[in-house]
Amino acid sequence: MSTDQADGGRATSAVPRRRQTLRARSLHTRLLLLVGITLLVVCSATAGTTAFVQRAYLMGHLDDRVTQAVDRGAGEAGRHPDEEDDLSFLTGNGHPAGMIAARLDTDGGILAAAVVGQDTPPRSLTTAQSAALAGIATDGSRHTRTVPGLGTYRVAAVDSGGSRVLAGLPMDDVQHLISTLVAVEAAVAGAGLALACCVCAVVVRRQLRPLGRVTATAAEVTRAPPLRGEATGLTRVPERDTAPGSEAGQIGAALNRLIDQVESSHAERRRGEERMRRFLADASHELRTPLTSIAGYAELMTRSQVSTGRVEPALAWRRVLAESARMTGLVEDLLLLARLDEGRPLHRAEVDLAALVAEAVWEARAAGDGRHWQLDLRLDAPASVVGDADRLHQVVAGLLANARTHTPAGTTVTATVEATGTRCVVRVRDDGPGIPQALLPTVFERFTRADTSRSRADATSGGTGLGLAVAAAITAAHGGRIDVSSVPGRTEFTVALPPAGGTAEPERPARQASPARV
């Protein structure tokens, strides 16, 4: 690699390093640097512009005086055109002290030159001083020349009727004035810049205090111990630092919203963990009960056959089969819920909901359990939906079984099918004792039971607490929803499904409960 390439690479890499160094500084420091640099540039530009304009004005005035002086000298020299080295016109009044005058030859050489003194006769210039004025064209243009021992002059030369005259005025006053002006402006600008930087430092510090408090709150939150239990107690940004009108307030409000989301997520996760633990405990209990029964009857049969033989094998086997069927149903419900939670597609076909509900009611009436089963069809359009007929039958049968399980004998259970062009609804209503209001929000959660509020026919007729959860999951998988409303003497479950080839717009009941997910 050549030296130029190496130097170029180092120069290129130095720029990002400087940028990174600037970014690494605090916002307070960067703001002060930017404000200071901006004020410095503005003050420098203002002072430079003022000095430039003032110098241009003074130089213009000086040039006018030089022009007047050379014209006056040319006029007086024109009275004696034969005397080419005559400078007698300098003895007249009105010539300023320090003025230079000279007579020129045709080539611009100096024939005679003198300088006007203060209250003294004009003094001739030396050879070196005269040489500094040679070579100036007699066209009236102004030139700046430095005359040894006298300083800087503004000079001009004219040719009037064969008389060539040069005149010049000193620039010391102009230069001194400009120098003084620049010095005063630099002092004023420096003092103003220092004062402005101090004021900006105070203002920036005060304006960034809310941001500092927000930063301190965020640091305190990061140092907080892991969230445990219900009471998290994370620090919030004070309300005074969350005003939406400022950037710091917007950051504070956003941080508070983030902390709220963290706590909400923690609470939701904790509720999910509690539901999972409760679900595992309930599932273990429900599976353990039939397993214990099966093991007990099997052991009893074994002991009876070995000893007395007083246990009827057929009865024991019937109990074993019943408990096996119960355990099988529980496992199938759990597997169905798991599949629905995973979003596995169901079989899709057009289903006549009216015929499906009528069949379910006929099956419930055939059981002959002492309840009154009624079917009410309100069809303004075909009650057709698209879905899995077996699963939809399971929903309706589950709601009817729930009414049979939790209502006493003599209860009237009515299954209603409503169908219009925009909705298809199944309602299962009974006039039993009802569901407690405290249980309504969780009635569709898994392993939720109402045993303490509804009478049960026997010790085994209460179910596992999965029936309504399965019904809710199947309904949701079909794009519908299930609701419940209950008061003593009237409990109604409503299943709303989108009709085949239409858009469902079912009416919304007063109370609604969503199925829980585990």
Side-chain angles (χ1 to χ4, degrees), residues 48-247:
T49 303
T50 303
F52 176 79
V53 172
Q54 186 67 23
R55 184 181 184 279
Y57 171 78
L58 294 176
M59 289 297 296
H61 181 66
L62 181 62
D63 287 345
D64 292 340
R65 292 173 57 201
V66 169
T67 300
Q68 292 175 0
V70 73
D71 289 342
R72 178 182 177 184
E76 292 180 358
R79 298 174 183 174
H80 306 281
D82 298 333
E83 301 177 2
E84 296 182 350
D85 57 352
D86 181 29
L87 295 176
S88 60
F89 61 87
L90 290 178
T91 59
N93 296 327
H95 298 292
M99 173 183 168
I100 291 177
R103 298 293 295 270
L104 307 177
D105 58 18
T106 57
D107 298 329
I110 303 297
L111 297 176
V115 58
V116 178
Q118 181 71 30
D119 299 329
T120 59
R123 178 174 57 84
S124 299
L125 298 183
T126 64
T127 303
Q129 292 174 339
S130 298
L133 300 175
I136 296 178
T138 58
D139 56 359
S141 60
R142 275 80 61 181
H143 303 271
T144 301
R145 293 294 176 89
T146 300
V147 180
L150 296 179
T152 304
Y153 274 75
R154 192 72 169 168
V155 298
V158 296
D159 185 352
S160 176
S163 299
R164 291 168 291 277
V165 178
L166 178 146
L169 293 176
M171 295 179 58
D172 294 341
D173 293 341
V174 174
Q175 291 177 339
H176 176 70
L177 181 60
I178 295 301
S179 299
T180 303
L181 178 63
V182 171
V184 172
E185 287 182 342
V188 173
L193 183 62
L195 179 61
C197 288
C198 293
V199 173
C200 289
V202 175
V203 172
V204 169
R205 187 181 299 277
R206 290 177 62 88
Q207 294 299 319
L208 290 181
R209 282 179 182 175
L211 188 58
R213 290 192 290 268
V214 172
T215 304
T217 301
E220 185 175 352
V221 170
T222 58
R223 291 192 300 266
L227 299 178
R228 300 180 184 277
E230 290 291 345
T232 57
L234 290 178
T235 305
R236 296 296 198 281
V237 178
E239 185 177 357
R240 60 175 180 170
D241 296 331
T242 58
S246 64
E247 289 76 6

